[in-house]
Structure formats: C-alpha cells, structure tokens
Amino acid sequence: MQFQNLSIQLPIQTSRLLIRPFISQDLAGYLAFMLDPKSTEYLAFEDSQKTLEGATELFNFVCSSYESDQIIHAYAIALNHSNEYVGSCGFAPDQANSVEIYYSINSQYRRQGYAYEATKALLDVLKANEWISEIRAYSAPNNIASLQLAQKLGMISKGKVVHPHSGLEGFLLSLNCKNDRNSERA
C-alpha cells in the first residue's frame, strides 16, 4: 500500500473533542499558535512560517491539500460543543510502514487533558490500520510535557536521534502497532 493512499475516517470524536480538517474559522487560533514564540520553540517550523504571511500560507496550503491526491494529514482539534479551535494533530510518513505523529495545543487550552485525549484518539485510529507497523513521535529534549504525554500514551523512548527531515536533535518515541494489534486479538 502506498502511503498516499492512507486515509482515516474524519471526524474523529471523543467525549470533549473533534478532530477534523481545518476550516477557515480556525485561522485565527492557528495564527495565535504559530505567532507565539513560546508555543513553537520546540517545533521544526522555518522562521518564515512563524510570520503572519508564512503561517497563513502554510494554513492555506494544508487546507488545499485536502482536495488533492497529496493530502497533508494535519487536522484541527476543536471543542465538541462549540467547534472552537484548540490545537492541531496529524501524521506523516516516517520510514517504511511507520508514521510520525504530532500534536499541539494552544496555550490557553493546555493542562486540561486535551492533548492526551486527541492524540489517544488519533493513535487508536492509526493503530487499527494494518499497513502501519509503528507510530513515532519526536520530541525536543527540553519539551518535558511532550515527552511525558508520549510516554503516557504508551510510547517507548528509543533514545536521542537526529530527526531525518528537520535535522534537529531530540528523543524518538515509538509505539509498535503489530504487538498492540496481536495483544488485542488474544
């Protein structure tokens, strides 16, 4: 199976959240995150993407990809009751039969369990895909909240690595899906 053919059923709904494609109303919340240096300090965005123009261009590029055969699997996390944007999550190909996940929550919504709830829901959907054998997350060494979240989700640290695309050094965390699927069948 080619990764480009990998798709997930959206929206993904949890008790409090909705994971769905970005919509135009998300732009303000997305920009609040991207233009906040504290929020993006550990992330591999280019400096130009952390400007109003660059972040808006990136947002529009992701939105337009949903209608193409080169989908960027970046999604909004919104509150169920109001559809208000609180952050984003997504995944991308990493190595053969593995995907890298990411998650981010806007500052005013942190420490409420949203990152865990949304990322767990995304992991559950990805783990169910027979094609995916491993789910990975990369985290900056000083991003303690991200490291703790990945470990709480059952990911195992594989040690420090250099990210293959960004060149940043950080920790690789991994979840073996084949073992998870086999234990669920037992």
Side-chain angles (χ1 to χ4, degrees), residues 16-140:
R16 301 181 298 164
L17 302 173
L18 194 63
I19 299 170
R20 56 162 174 72
F22 285 106
I23 57 176
S24 59
Q25 292 88 333
D26 297 329
L27 181 59
Y30 178 82
L31 290 174
F33 178 84
M34 291 296 291
L35 301 179
D36 176 17
K38 186 86 173 131
S39 291
T40 59
E41 74 179 305
Y42 299 121
L43 305 178
F45 292 108
E46 297 173 14
D47 287 341
S48 63
Q49 293 172 317
K50 296 187 247 182
T51 65
L52 180 61
E53 182 181 340
T56 302
E57 187 177 304
L58 181 59
F59 179 88
N60 291 332
F61 180 72
V62 169
C63 290
S64 68
S65 82
Y66 298 145
E67 303 300 321
S68 76
D69 60 352
Q70 298 289 317
I71 294 173
I72 297 171
H73 294 281
Y75 303 108
I77 302 169
L79 297 175
N80 264 339
H81 69 277
S82 65
N83 204 27
E84 183 178 354
Y85 178 87
V86 299
S88 64
C89 64
F91 63 95
D94 192 48
Q95 294 181 1
N97 293 56
S98 71
V99 294
E100 174 185 350
I101 62 161
Y102 83 89
Y103 37 86
S104 64
I105 300 294
N106 284 34
S107 60
Q108 68 270 36
Y109 298 104
R110 292 183 191 142
R111 307 200 56 76
Q112 298 178 54
Y114 294 146
Y116 176 82
E117 188 174 329
T119 307
K120 182 177 182 329
L122 180 61
L123 281 175
D124 289 346
V125 168
L126 293 172
K127 287 189 309 189
N129 185 301
E130 292 289 326
W131 179 82
I132 299 171
S133 61
E134 181 184 25
I135 300 172
R136 297 174 164 202
Y138 294 89
S139 179

